[in-house]
Amino acid sequence: MNAMARTRNKPQGEVTRGTTNPNRLRRVDRWIAATQAGALRSADRPLAIDLGYGASPVTAVELYARLRAVEPRLEVAGIEIEPDRVAAGRAFLERSGDAYPGLSFLRGGFELPVDRPPVLVRAFNVLRQYDEAAAWQAWEGLCSRLAPGGVLVEGTCDEIGRRAVWVALDRDAPRTITFAAHLPTLGRPSELAERLPKTLIHRNVPGERVHTLLADFDRCWAIAAPQSVFGPRARWTAAVTLLADAHPVLLRPPFGGRARWRLGEVTLPWSAVDPRS
Ligand SMILES: C[S@@+](CC[C@H](N)C(=O)[O-])C[C@H]1O[C@@H](n2cnc3c(N)ncnc32)[C@H](O)[C@@H]1O
């Protein structure tokens, strides 16, 4: 059995470049596992979707392994708009025998051709190839298709997953934004601007909240430079603590606190960057 629903309509969206890489999405998967267990358990037959998994099914398979460790009942559907990529996912499953019960690969787009509302949609490196208006529209459409209590995690990362930014949305609105980096190779926090989601990338200009946030983060990073003697994690943690004086950094678990900051993460409410309010 898989999560496919019958549909005759053309998938919504456009075929785009299929670039992907093993382990590229480890930072966002780790964050989902740590902060979204409630969402993953919010349905009797929970279904997660990896929307736009790309030329190889590898990141969908990784999502399956990482999230089944949190919620063993979870089914995962990789959805791709490009038919050869769906065939590659299905060929992988055939080669794997019964190793991945509850994992399936389907052709589709933003309409999400599944038989029940998902508790999670992870869409990574998908919307950056659309224009800004289409990205806002995709958020609205995908959120309306979530299960009650479900979450859309939409973001962008570099080729090997050392820099990532993502937004988590529920059925009603965007809720949080997370910045995550491989700290030993980070020059300064504003390098993450290159990875902003499409809904924010054009807003990184003076006068916009996201620009102020990243400029202040760079200043905190500079002030925290002496902490580098204890390593880049100590410096990041000190910079995030300073940033929290002027911005609404989420301070408590599951989103905040030293354990998360030491991973090179920081999460804030969406209102900290919202360009529309
Ligand atoms: C750059 S790849 C990203 C692969 C993977 N998510 C990652 O981050 O490594 C983007 C993929 O999204 C697919 N895509 C784009 N729009 C889509 C849509 N509306 N529905 C499903 N897949 C879509 C493209 O065909 C492409 O394979």
Side-chain angles (χ1 to χ4, degrees), residues 12 14 16-17 20 24 52-54 80 85 109 124-125 130:
Q12 286 174 19
E14 298 154 29
T16 56
R17 285 189 304 276
T20 189
R24 182 191 199 193
Y53 58 84
E80 247 297 335
R85 298 175 191 163
F124 238 77
N125 301 303
Y130 287 76

Side-chain angles (χ1 to χ4, degrees), residues 11-21 24-25 50-56 58-59 79-82 85 108-111 122-127 129-130 155 157 159:
Q12 286 174 19
E14 298 154 29
V15 174
T16 56
R17 285 189 304 276
T19 319
T20 189
N21 262 316
R24 182 191 199 193
L25 303 185
D50 186 13
L51 184 67
Y53 58 84
S56 136
V58 64
T59 61
I79 296 185
E80 247 297 335
I81 200 162
E82 206 283 319
R85 298 175 191 163
F110 296 133
E111 77 287 357
R122 185 192 67 183
F124 238 77
N125 301 303
V126 176
L127 296 184
Q129 296 173 55
Y130 287 76
C157 68
E159 289 212 344

Side-chain angles (χ1 to χ4, degrees), residues 83-254:
D84 289 346
R85 298 175 191 163
V86 181
R90 291 181 175 162
F92 166 83
L93 282 183
E94 265 176 38
R95 285 195 304 276
S96 307
D98 297 332
Y100 298 97
L103 177 63
S104 56
F105 292 97
L106 317 174
R107 173 143 194 257
F110 296 133
E111 77 287 357
L112 307 182
V114 286
D115 63 0
R116 78 204 94 135
V119 295
L120 168 74
V121 176
R122 185 192 67 183
F124 238 77
N125 301 303
V126 176
L127 296 184
R128 272 290 288 269
Q129 296 173 55
Y130 287 76
D131 67 30
E132 187 185 334
W136 284 105
Q137 245 175 29
W139 272 15
E140 207 177 299
L142 291 170
C143 287
S144 74
R145 290 175 198 114
L146 290 172
V151 63
L152 164 65
V153 180
E154 193 276 311
T156 304
C157 68
D158 66 3
E159 289 212 344
I160 55 171
R162 286 184 161 185
R163 310 264 187 276
V165 182
W166 59 85
V167 177
L169 307 90
D170 64 18
R171 293 212 299 187
D172 299 322
R175 295 299 179 195
T176 58
I177 181 161
T178 301
F179 298 85
H182 175 254
L183 297 177
T185 55
L186 185 71
R188 56 179 195 279
S190 64
E191 287 174 9
L192 286 160
E194 282 178 30
R195 301 298 151 193
L196 285 170
K198 193 68 183 210
T199 48
L200 282 179
I201 189 120
H202 303 301
R203 309 301 185 119
N204 188 29
V205 291
E208 292 280 354
R209 282 180 193 157
V210 67
H211 186 269
T212 308
L213 174 75
L214 289 171
D216 287 352
F217 205 172
D218 278 354
R219 263 191 294 279
C220 296
W221 180 250
I223 296 167
Q227 293 293 319
S228 299
V229 291
F230 303 112
R233 291 163 187 260
R235 182 178 183 181
W236 177 267
T237 302
V240 169
T241 307
L242 289 167
L243 187 68
D245 289 340
H247 294 271
V249 171
L250 293 175
L251 298 173
R252 277 190 278 280

Side-chain angles (χ1 to χ4, degrees), residues 3 40 43 45-49 74-77 102 114-120:
L40 300 180
R45 293 174 57 222
L47 171 68
I49 290 177
L74 191 71
E75 291 178 39
V76 175
V114 286
D115 63 0
R116 78 204 94 135
V119 295
L120 168 74

